[in-house]
């Protein structure tokens, strides 16, 4: 029996329970529509809640209060949790490419996650579902009520800043004011076929575009050259629902990038791709020292691959193959960028890096395992100065397993709920 032919039994010991169609008959997951899958997941949550006196299935636990299924001595430290998508689109024939994004976003909204992060990627399977994050954000906007919609990130130099402001203003209106944007400068030479003149080793173009977007967002006008040889005064429409745009800068380099973000009063979006938790902690200290002179402490958001489930052996079995394949695909992306620069990577080196990276991420740089085990890494990150974990959940695992794991991820979230902002609330603005 193939994975797509597997059925959803009425009871799955150690994983989910009470998942079945109304008539009690097992049904192949692939034969269910999006609405049926959503109803099944909601039914699971209701039945779990019914087993806990006073629990509500359709409402997240209050921030700061332990979830009803958590032990009384659960950690009281605080960390924000969001969902992040960066899918590898290797299966181009999949007719349900956006199913996981839409269903997980609705579930995350119901369970009180802070935000959904969507990337911008071009010309490669890694992130290939997201050539324009504002479009998918618009789809999520009309399906959700409180979860924030974040670009993670807009590669600002590839676009005219007026178009960035216009597109995301539409999403801000559709979502009743739930848009935030992370800005990145871009790194892959292939992406810059869209704007060859903007490819440069510094942040100058990104920073210029960022400030233009912020001005337009506030309702200010800007002067732009018109084809007549004169200048035109430009103001964007529709007017955003939010007066100020909350923004991040994507920082994956040295401490100087963190210092630059702090001096500008930006929040930070980063990852453990090329740094350890200890190295990140030192960079956050640099950021906070620079930020104090600007405005407040800011928000540091860390992207982490995540799959939470009470059965650790199940996590290991489920994650290893898809995650290793995802790493190989990511290496292929970087290999293409290196090839443009005249750097070659031997195939055996690629595989060695993939296996090493899997072990590193699974053991020390990802949210993998039962909630109480994952809590150890979360506490380390709190001590390092991280404010929010953007949990990447779409790295090749079967969609059913991912959706069923989100309540377990929510259980981990509820142990640390409330960071500096409640679920769905706005983080700091410069």
């Amino acid at each position: 029996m193939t994975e797509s032919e597997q059925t959803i039994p009425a009871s799955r010991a150690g994983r989910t329970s009470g998942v079945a169609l109304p008539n009690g008959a097992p049904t192949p997951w692939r034969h269910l529509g999006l609405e049926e899958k959503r109803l099944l997941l909601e039914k699971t949550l209701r039945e779990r809640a019914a087993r806990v006196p006073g629990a509500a299935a359709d409402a997240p636990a209050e921030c700061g209060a332990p979830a009803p299924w958590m032990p009384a001595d659960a950690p009281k430290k605080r960390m924000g949790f969001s969902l992040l998508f960066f899918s590898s689109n290797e299966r181009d024939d999949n007719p349900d490419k956006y199913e996981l994004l839409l269903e997980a976003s609705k579930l995350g909204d119901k369970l009180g996650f802070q935000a959904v992060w969507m990337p911008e990627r071009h010309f490669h399977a890694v992130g290939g579902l997201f050539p324009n994050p504002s479009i998918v954000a618009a789809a999520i906007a009309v399906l959700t009520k409180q979860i924030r919609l974040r670009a993670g990130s807009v590669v600002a130099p590839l676009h005219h800043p007026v178009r960035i402001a216009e597109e995301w203003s539409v999403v801000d209106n559709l979502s009743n004011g739930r848009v935030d944007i992370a800005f990145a400068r871009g790194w892959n030479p292939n992406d810059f076929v869209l704007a060859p003149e903007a490819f440069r080793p510094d942040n100058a173009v990104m920073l210029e575009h960022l400030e233009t977007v912020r001005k337009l967002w506030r309702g200010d006008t800007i002067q732009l050259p018109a084809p007549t040889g004169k200048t035109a005064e430009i103001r964007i429409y529709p007017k955003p629902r939010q007066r100020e745009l909350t923004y991040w800068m994507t920082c994956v380099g040295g401490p100087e990038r963190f210092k630059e973000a702090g001096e500008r009063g930006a929040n930070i979006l980063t990852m453990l791709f090329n740094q350890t938790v200890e190295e990140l902690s030192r960079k956050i200290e640099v950021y906070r020292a620079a930020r104090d002179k600007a405005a407040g402490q800011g928000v540091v958001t860390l992207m982490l691959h995540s799959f939470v489930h009470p059965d650790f052996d199940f996590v290991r079995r489920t994650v290893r193959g898809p995650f290793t394949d995802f790493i190989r695909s990511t290496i292929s992306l970087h290999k293409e960028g290196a090839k443009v620069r005249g750097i070659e990577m031997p195939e055996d080196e690629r595989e060695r890096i993939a296996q090493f990276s899997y072990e590193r991420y699974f053991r020390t740089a990802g949210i993998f395992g039962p909630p109480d085990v994952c809590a150890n890494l979360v506490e380390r990150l709190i001590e390092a100065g991280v404010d929010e974990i953007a949990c990447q959940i779409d790295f090749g695992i079967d969609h059913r397993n991912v959706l069923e794991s989100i309540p377990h991820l929510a259980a981990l979230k509820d142990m640390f709920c409330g960071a500096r902002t409640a679920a769905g609330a706005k983080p700091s603005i410069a």
Side-chain angles (χ1 to χ4, degrees):
M1 180 184 297
T2 66
E3 182 68 26
S4 62
E5 294 288 351
Q6 290 180 355
T7 58
I8 306 172
S11 176
R12 186 183 288 127
R15 292 177 62 185
T16 62
S17 58
V19 180
L21 285 177
N23 63 9
T27 301
W29 180 260
R30 73 187 182 97
H31 291 166
L32 300 180
L34 291 179
E35 183 64 14
E36 290 173 305
K37 293 174 182 177
R38 181 184 66 80
L39 291 173
L40 287 178
L41 287 165
E42 289 185 355
K43 181 174 183 287
T44 304
L45 292 173
R46 285 196 301 271
E47 292 180 351
R48 284 177 180 165
R51 293 194 291 271
V52 182
D58 59 352
E62 285 188 27
C63 288
W69 56 85
M70 283 294 141
D73 59 351
K76 300 300 189 293
K77 296 175 182 178
R78 297 187 170 200
M79 173 70 79
F81 282 78
S82 299
L83 302 178
L84 180 140
F85 294 85
F86 212 115
S87 176
S88 182
N89 186 32
E90 295 286 4
R91 278 196 58 205
D92 210 25
D93 61 338
N94 178 14
D96 299 319
K97 292 179 174 64
Y98 295 96
E99 175 196 47
L100 179 59
L101 170 73
L102 299 178
E103 293 303 307
S105 297
K106 289 190 288 187
L107 192 55
D109 188 47
K110 185 179 291 290
L111 292 174
F113 284 86
Q114 283 189 0
V116 179
W117 291 86
M118 295 144 283
E120 177 188 344
R121 282 255 45 88
H122 300 281
F123 317 130
H124 197 277
V126 174
L129 296 182
F130 304 98
N132 188 335
S134 68
I135 293 177
V136 289
I140 296 171
V142 299
L143 296 175
T144 56
K145 296 179 180 179
Q146 67 173 2
I147 198 164
R148 296 196 66 80
L149 310 174
R150 294 179 182 161
S153 307
V154 168
V155 184
L158 299 183
H159 310 281
H160 197 292
V162 173
R163 294 296 294 139
I164 297 174
E166 285 182 330
E167 290 180 13
W168 284 98
S169 179
V170 171
V171 181
D172 203 48
N173 279 272
L174 288 171
S175 66
N176 194 27
R178 289 185 279 137
V179 161
D180 308 310
I181 301 178
F183 292 83
R185 78 179 190 194
W187 62 271
N188 191 336
N190 288 345
D191 292 353
F192 282 82
V193 298
L194 300 175
E197 72 287 351
F199 186 62
R200 49 188 297 171
D202 56 46
N203 283 348
V205 177
M206 181 199 77
L207 294 174
E208 180 183 346
H209 285 12
L210 188 161
E211 291 305 321
T212 300
V213 171
R214 292 183 69 203
K215 287 178 64 177
L216 291 167
W217 197 274
R218 286 193 294 263
D220 296 345
T221 59
I222 62 172
Q223 301 287 329
L224 293 174
T228 60
K230 298 181 179 180
T231 60
E233 191 173 77
I234 299 299
R235 176 185 285 114
I236 65 165
Y237 294 94
K239 180 180 179 182
R241 292 296 298 270
Q242 301 175 100
R243 167 65 179 170
E244 290 284 348
L245 174 66
T246 304
Y247 66 100
W248 278 249
M249 286 173 55
T250 302
C251 299
V252 293
E256 66 279 0
R257 297 300 182 202
F258 285 71
K259 182 174 183 290
E260 182 177 49
E263 290 172 342
R264 289 185 167 268
N267 299 316
I268 280 182
L269 178 63
T270 189
M271 63 185 76
L272 294 180
F273 171 72
N274 59 349
Q275 59 189 345
T276 64
V277 173
E278 292 72 27
E279 290 169 337
L280 174 60
S281 179
R282 291 191 290 271
K283 294 174 185 178
I284 292 174
E285 289 178 2
V286 172
Y287 165 70
R288 293 259 150 80
R291 171 90 192 204
D292 284 346
K293 301 172 185 176
Q297 289 198 57
V299 175
V300 175
T301 300
L302 178 65
M303 298 178 274
L304 289 179
H305 300 90
S306 305
F307 186 75
V308 177
H309 190 279
D311 185 339
F312 189 83
D313 289 336
F314 173 73
V315 171
R316 187 186 297 276
R317 292 194 308 272
T318 303
V319 166
R320 184 172 192 106
F323 191 32
T324 304
D325 287 343
F326 178 81
I327 292 171
R328 291 189 185 104
S329 188
T330 302
I331 293 171
S332 171
L333 171 63
H334 287 270
K335 182 179 178 181
E336 286 186 10
K339 190 173 182 179
V340 173
R341 296 184 176 93
I343 303 171
E344 295 287 345
M345 180 187 297
E347 190 62 32
D348 59 344
E349 178 73 3
R350 174 187 173 190
E351 186 59 28
R352 186 187 69 79
I353 293 173
Q355 296 301 327
F356 174 83
S357 297
Y358 167 79
E359 294 297 335
R360 173 181 175 256
Y361 280 113
F362 190 86
R363 295 173 185 273
T364 66
I367 303 290
F368 296 119
D372 58 336
V373 172
C374 297
N376 296 325
L377 176 57
V378 176
E379 290 180 325
R380 282 183 63 207
L381 296 173
I382 291 172
E383 296 302 319
V386 175
D387 303 289
E388 175 193 1
I389 298 173
C391 303
Q392 183 185 344
I393 59 175
D394 64 333
F395 47 88
I397 295 175
D398 176 72
H399 289 185
R400 178 198 61 196
N401 286 330
V402 175
L403 291 170
E404 290 178 0
S405 76
I406 292 175
H408 301 302
L409 181 59
L412 176 65
K413 169 185 70 69
D414 291 341
M415 296 170 70
F416 298 91
C417 186
R420 288 200 179 91
T421 53
K426 290 188 67 175
S428 63
I429 301 176

